[in-house]
Structure formats: structure tokens, C-alpha cells
Amino acid sequence: GAVVSQHPSRVICKSGTSVKIECRSLDFQATTMFWYRQFPKQSLMLMATSNEGSKATYEQGVEKDKFLINHASLTLSTLTVTSAHPEDSSFYICSASRFESGDRNEQFFGPGTRLTVL
Amino acid sequence: DAKTTQPPSMDCAEGRAANLPCNHSTISGNEYVYWYRQIHSQGPQYIIHGLKNNETNEMASLIITEDRKSSTLILPHATLRDTAVYYCIVRVDSGGSNYKLTFGKGTLLTVNP
């Protein structure tokens, strides 16, 4: 159980276009979803945290108008990179969290989406 | 947030135990130690977590020192598929049922044949 999928796995787009990435929790309801970005040879950087039905909380330095996050249901969150530029090329990873009693509150990660902006 | 320090890289022979250290000297009493790993070009994978006591599951063992200032992840019989970057993370509780994971640079474990 606790499988998270992302779609697409790879996307190549032209500069100035918008790209939407989907993150789905396949077999559980995710109270919270997280979006990370990872540049080559670097670690994951948290971009934003989103709760179902409410606005996302963005980390410092992340432009909320450029990276639009929608968490419309307990199983789906989307990240839209608007007016993408080459510097937005990166590996985007989502994770989903479900609340459980006690100390268990794991994050389950998706396989990632490789975005290349030409 | 408690920060962690890990060696940038380690090597291990296939079939031997891999012991990955992590220092978290500023950890507070209610913070957990989590371990994740990331195989190249994949999303991170949860391995194990603990608070005070040593923990073991089907993947690994976690040894936490009594003062909780450091821990060691043990892969008892490393295989080539265990080659990955291993992240030691101290969990931040950002309120309610939500929490953030702050990833450091991790340790690149290379398992050699």
C-alpha cells in the first residue's frame, strides 16, 4: 500500500509554455501533499506544502504565482509551472502524507517528473 | 530545526553490513530520526525511523545513541541494489498532522561487487 504516482514522468517543453504535473495517492487519502525540486547533484528542496481544499504554503524564495499548486481532492495534487524557462528545468518530486495515530506520519514519495525546458 | 551531518560518501562490499552514521547533536526531545534513500533518478524511499529506542524492520536497523545526538543506519547484508544516497532527517513538526522533511546532502553509499 501507500503508492504515489506522478504524471508525466518526463516532459520537454518550449520556453514560455506552462506545464502541469499530477501527483496521485493511489491507495490512500492524503491529508497533505508536498512538492520538492531537485537540481542535478543536489538534494531535494521543499517548494510547498498543500492541504486538501486550502491554499498551499510556499517555502521562502518559491514564487507562488509561477508554481501553481492545486490540491482539489484527497488523492490528487497538481503543480503547474507557468511560463517555464530553462532555469526551471529540474526533477520535480511530490510526496503524500496521511495522518495516523501515534508517531506515524510518513511521507510517501512519487517517482518524480523530469522537466526540461528548451 | 535540528540539522544532521553525514559523510558525503561511503563504500561497502556486497554481502557485508553497511553502517551509515549521522550526527544530530541539536535534536530536541520530541523529534524523530528518519532515514530515507534515493536511488538515482527516482523518488526517495522510506527506510526506518525512531525516537529513542533502536528499531529494526525488514530493510534495516536503526541504532540511536542514549543521548540521541547521533544514530547509525545498518543494512545488514548490502546488495548492489542498495547503492543510493541515504538521507538522515530529523523531523520537523509544523503543526497538527503535517510535518516537513528537510533533506541534507546525504551519504552516497556505493556497494561494490
Side-chain angles (χ1 to χ4, degrees):
Chain A
V3 178
V4 177
S5 70
Q6 282 185 242
H7 178 80
S9 57
R10 291 178 178 272
V11 57
I12 301 173
C13 69
K14 293 182 179 180
S15 184
T17 60
S18 295
V19 175
K20 179 184 285 188
I21 303 170
E22 292 186 350
C23 177
R24 293 181 184 273
S25 56
L26 298 184
D27 50 4
F28 68 99
Q29 292 186 327
T31 51
T32 304
M33 287 186 170
F34 303 82
W35 286 95
Y36 296 82
R37 180 168 53 180
Q38 185 175 33
F39 293 108
K41 298 189 183 300
Q42 295 188 22
S43 189
L44 284 78
M45 296 295 295
L46 179 66
M47 299 175 67
T49 303
S50 73
N51 294 301
E52 183 261 342
S54 61
K55 290 183 179 180
T57 301
Y58 289 82
E59 294 299 299
Q60 191 173 7
V62 178
E63 299 175 58
K64 62 179 180 181
D65 294 330
K66 180 170 183 63
F67 299 99
L68 302 179
I69 292 172
N70 184 282
H71 192 165
S73 76
L74 285 172
T75 59
L76 173 64
S77 176
T78 60
L79 168 67
T80 301
V81 184
T82 62
S83 186
H85 291 285
E87 58 266 30
D88 298 321
S89 298
S90 187
F91 192 48
Y92 291 86
I93 305 169
C94 74
S95 69
S97 174
R98 62 183 177 191
F99 179 75
E100 295 188 36
S101 61
D103 65 355
R104 293 195 61 80
N105 193 349
E106 294 179 39
Q107 283 189 32
F108 302 95
F109 287 83
T113 296
R114 177 78 57 190
L115 170 64
T116 303
V117 184
L118 302 177
Chain B
D1 301 351
K3 298 193 186 305
T4 62
T5 304
Q6 298 177 252
S9 63
M10 293 183 64
D11 285 287
C12 177
E14 187 178 17
R16 303 296 295 269
N19 298 296
L20 292 92
C22 179
N23 286 321
H24 31 78
S25 58
T26 59
I27 192 171
S28 61
N30 60 350
E31 289 179 310
Y32 291 77
V33 180
Y34 277 75
W35 283 84
Y36 284 79
R37 73 179 182 184
Q38 185 179 26
I39 296 170
H40 183 63
S41 293
Q42 296 183 23
Q45 176 189 21
Y46 166 83
I47 301 174
I48 199 167
H49 77 287
L51 181 63
K52 296 180 182 178
N53 300 320
N54 299 336
E55 302 288 344
T56 296
N57 62 20
E58 64 278 4
M59 289 184 67
S61 294
L62 174 61
I63 308 298
I64 303 174
T65 58
E66 192 169 342
D67 63 8
R68 302 207 326 123
K69 292 184 177 182
S70 65
S71 61
T72 301
L73 178 74
I74 301 172
L75 307 179
H77 306 286
T79 70
L80 298 179
R81 288 179 293 181
D82 292 323
T83 293
V85 177
Y86 287 77
Y87 296 100
C88 168
I89 300 168
V90 173
R91 188 186 79 175
V92 175
D93 184 355
S94 59
S97 61
N98 306 325
Y99 71 101
K100 299 193 291 187
L101 293 174
T102 301
F103 286 81
K105 296 183 178 180
T107 296
L108 172 60
L109 174 68
T110 302
V111 181
N112 300 305

